[in-house]
Structure formats: structure tokens, C-alpha cells
Amino acid sequence: MEESNELHSEENKTSQDNNKKRKLKTPAQLMALEKFYNEHKYPTEEMKSQVAEQLGLSEKQISGWFCHRRLKDKRLSRDETCANGRQDRSSGVIQDRASGLGQDSCGSTKHGDHRYVDPREVESRRLSGHDFPAADITREYRSHYTERVGGMDNTSSESSSSLQDRFFTQNEDPYDVETSRYLAHNGVFSPINPRGTENMAYKPAGYLKVKGEAENAAITAVKRQLGRHYQEDGPPLGVEFDLLPPGAFESPIMDSVHEPSIVGNPVLRSPDISGVKGQLSPRTRYEVYNSKFSSQDSYIQQENPCIMHGFDLQEKKSSKKLRQKSTYINHTNSSPGKNSSLDIYDKSVGGTSAYNTNRKDKMRSKRGYSGRKVTSEQTEPCLHEYDRVSSPKLVQRSDYLKPKPSSSIENLDGECKAMKVYSNPIRVMMNSTDEMVVAKQARVNLPQRDYSTNSFPQLPPRKNQIKGTAMEMPSSFSEDETAETNSSVD
DNA sequence: TTGTGTTTTATTGCCTCC
DNA sequence: GGAGGCAATAAAACACAA
């Protein structure tokens, strides 16, 4: 009797604890939430309830999550603003932008920015189908807005909303830092810097059309500094590197014929990066998925690991000891095309942990994609649930761009589903001894589905090294890659 | 193994808008 | 006054170094 009472009390206690203790969202939930967040930063009650129902969460949780997510974005944005301020002072490259825009100082935490537009207004305008010039959009919501444009017009698209982030977010304005950094660094990275390229050189005409005069001034300033190195379009800036010594990045495995783009970057061959070889924890998988889904073409990631900037990797090594915040900033800097959010994703996821990628990277390198533990109970129910959800809807990804709340919510179904569907090709690619061949095969086998534009148009900018790089890929890069593949075949 | 730091989630109070 | 959002705070979960 006493035992049963104890048992009951134990159960009660456990249930109470369960109620009391916070529960981590499952990767699938997070993914869906991030995705939905990229669509609607201020969801309506109806949307919230639908999301809650779909994800098996309470509306309160959803509301809270969105609230915190917005705070997170804001915080990241603030951090980045601070970083930008420092960068401005040190480099002076973007000085006139800062001055021209009256950018917030680090101390300013409120969105008192004169460019600030009530996000709800933005949202409501979006929902009501009223477009407005992107120049009028706050930096926070630029990504939000451009996501719509992105699917149709690459001119000002950001490879992620965010994120993060960013990943991952996400909605910061890292390109101040990034452009100055990258362009000052050398122009070579411009082509692989979606934001930088978009904003600065890649498609400046389109950008200038969209962004407005204030940022135009910044661009002009950078142009001036770059002088003759700056090119409106075409090949990278006229910076040349010394040739690498023969065999400098020799890869014992790689077939230079099959993998021309990888040869130069042995790091990318490391199991850490292609950690899918190992058994991924659900969460890690989630990040990988994010990285892949966030990219314009997930296969690019495999076939163009060169997008993993060399100095990105170096930076990672040199800044291992950096704290979280600086890590985030560094990562942002080294992943210019990102909205940090989700990002970044990101944010980083992010996004979720959009900005602790260095930590995770370290972890991955040490533990081989261990990541946070996510129990199977946590992940599988949702995944299964999403698996159960049949998905004619999945194919209807075009609905995603519609302002209808339901459409976006429907996409939540596809999120998990797509995760599962997408995992196989990835694994095949990564497990194969000749990954590139298999990857190309997989790519050929999955041509119908436009993952980049429809399935995962706006994923949190996860500031993961992988996603950070992959997601930054301008669309043209995939074209280049295609061309390269073709040429290699030739 | 433990302590520390970071991130995420939940709660609460205040503010603004309708 | 109620609803929604923001900000601050606490606590749990997690990763990492010693």
C-alpha cells in the first residue's frame, strides 16, 4: 500500500516535474518553428494555434517561442551592430554608411533606429499582399521581406532569412561587417559571398535598385576604396594569389577528375564536415539538414565544398578559444552571405543555436557529431508524426510564398517529411567512397524537386560552418558548379 | 567527475494599442 | 480592460575544460 502510494506520489512528482521542467523542442519542431518564423515573425492567433497543433505544442509555447525568437534576433542584431561599430572604427570602410544611416550605437538596445518599421505593419502588409519598397524595410525585416523576393528574383535574395541565422537569421545586417571585411580582405571571396556579392558586386544593379540610397552610399564608399579592383560583375576582384605548391592539399582519396572543387581543400574531406558518415544525433542531423536545406542546392554543399572558405577554416582554428559572443561575430564575419539568423541562422538557426557553431564544430571534430543529446522519444514522435502526414502538400511548395497562413503552416508538414526524404541522398553521397560520383548520381536522380526554391526557401540561417557556407551559395554558384561539372565531363 | 559558461525555455511584469 | 509584445529573470539542458 505504501509502496503504491509512493509510486503514485512518484508518478505525480514525475508528472509535475515534467510539467515544471522545461522541455527542449525537438529538432523537427525547431526546424518547423524556425521555418515558420522566417515566414511570419508575428504569427496571428490562428497561425499560432495551427502551428501548435501541428507541432504538438501549446499555443502558449508557440507564442513564447516566437517571442524569444524575436528577442534572439534582436539580440543578435544588436551584437552585430556593436561588432559593426567596432569594425567601422577600425576599418573605416563602412564609415559613411554608419554615419549616413545614423546607425545605432552599441549602447542603444531599443529599436529606435529611424529605419525601424513596425514589424507588425510589415507583417500585416505582407499578409495583405501590399508590397513596399525594400528600402523601406528595416534591416531586421529585410530578410523577411526578401525571402519572398528571393524565390523569384535572386537580385536581392539572401540565401537565408536569417539566419540566424540566420541560420541562421537571420535578420541582422552583417553585410556591413562582411563586406568591409571581405572586400578589404580580398575580393576573391566575393563570389561566394551571397550577401557581399549581392550587396556589393555580385548583382549590384539589382541591389542598388532595391536597397536604397543609404546603403548605396556604403557601396559607393567600398567601391571607392576598392578602386580598380572592384568590378560590377564578372570574375572576382583582381586579386591574385600565388600558386599553391604542388600537392599542398593533396588528397589521397580524391580523384581530381571527379572532384575538382574539393581537391584544394582537404579540410572539407575531414569526417567532421562530412560527418554524416557517422551516426548523427538527431539534433546534429537537424543542423545538417538545416545546412543542407538552407543552401540553395544542398548538393552544392557536397560538390562544392570549396565554398568552405579557406580563411573561414583558418579563422575557426585560430579562434577556438573565443567566447560565445565573439564566436558568433566571427562566424558571421566569416559567413558573409548570411543573415546571421537563421541566422543565420542560423541562426545560425539559426538558429536555434545558430551562433555556437564553433563550439559544435569543435565538438564534432572531437566527438564526431555528437551534439546535444536528443532522445529518440523526443525526435521520433514528431518525425513519425510528420511522416504520417501524407504529403501531397509537400509537392505544393509553391504555396509557400502565398501569404496565406495556412499554406505556411502546411509546410510544416513538409519540413519533417523532407528531412527524412532528404536524408537518404545525403547519406548515400557521404557514405560512398566516391562521394562525388554518387552525389552527382543522386543529383541526377532527384532533379525534379527544387529544394532550394520551394522546399526550403527560407530556413534559419544556422551559423554552422557547413550550413554557413552552403547556404551562402549564390544561385549562380550552383550554375557555375554545374558548368564546372559539365566541363569536367567534357 | 565536477565546475563553469552558454543556450534555450518558461515565467513574470510592464508597456502599448485597440 | 484585455490582448499582444518586449524585456528581465530564473532554471534546465548541454558542452567543455580542468
Side-chain angles (χ1 to χ4, degrees), chain A residues 263-274:
Chain A
V263 173
N265 211 337
V267 185
L268 298 164
R269 311 278 316 150
S270 78
D272 309 340
I273 308 298
S274 57

Side-chain angles (χ1 to χ4, degrees), chain A residues 31 35 150-151 159 289-300 394-395 397-398 400-401 411 414-426 429 439 442-459 471 478:
Chain A
M31 194 170 179
K35 186 174 179 180
S159 49
Y289 290 141
N290 261 337
S291 70
K292 297 183 185 309
F293 298 159
S294 302
S295 63
Q296 301 244 356
D297 181 350
S298 60
Y299 291 102
I300 295 172
L394 285 178
V395 190
R397 307 300 292 194
S398 58
Y400 196 85
L401 295 175
N411 286 325
E415 198 75 30
C416 293
K417 178 76 174 181
M419 285 171 64
K420 186 169 184 176
V421 170
Y422 217 55
S423 62
N424 289 337
I426 295 169
M429 287 154 46
R443 191 180 179 184
V444 168
N445 291 337
L446 296 167
Q448 275 79 13
R449 198 152 174 188
D450 188 354
Y451 291 95
S452 61
T453 56
N454 288 334
S455 296
F456 307 98
Q458 271 291 315
L459 279 174
M471 63 199 294
S478 97

Side-chain angles (χ1 to χ4, degrees), chain A residues 374-422:
Chain A
V374 178
T375 63
S376 57
E377 310 112 55
Q378 273 182 299
T379 54
E380 286 182 1
C382 177
L383 292 173
H384 291 170
E385 185 176 332
Y386 279 96
D387 287 344
R388 283 201 306 271
V389 178
S390 66
S391 313
K393 294 174 185 175
L394 285 178
V395 190
Q396 311 285 342
R397 307 300 292 194
S398 58
D399 290 345
Y400 196 85
L401 295 175
K402 296 177 185 175
K404 280 194 307 181
S406 58
S407 65
S408 295
I409 293 169
E410 281 178 3
N411 286 325
L412 297 177
D413 291 341
E415 198 75 30
C416 293
K417 178 76 174 181
M419 285 171 64
K420 186 169 184 176
V421 170
Y422 217 55

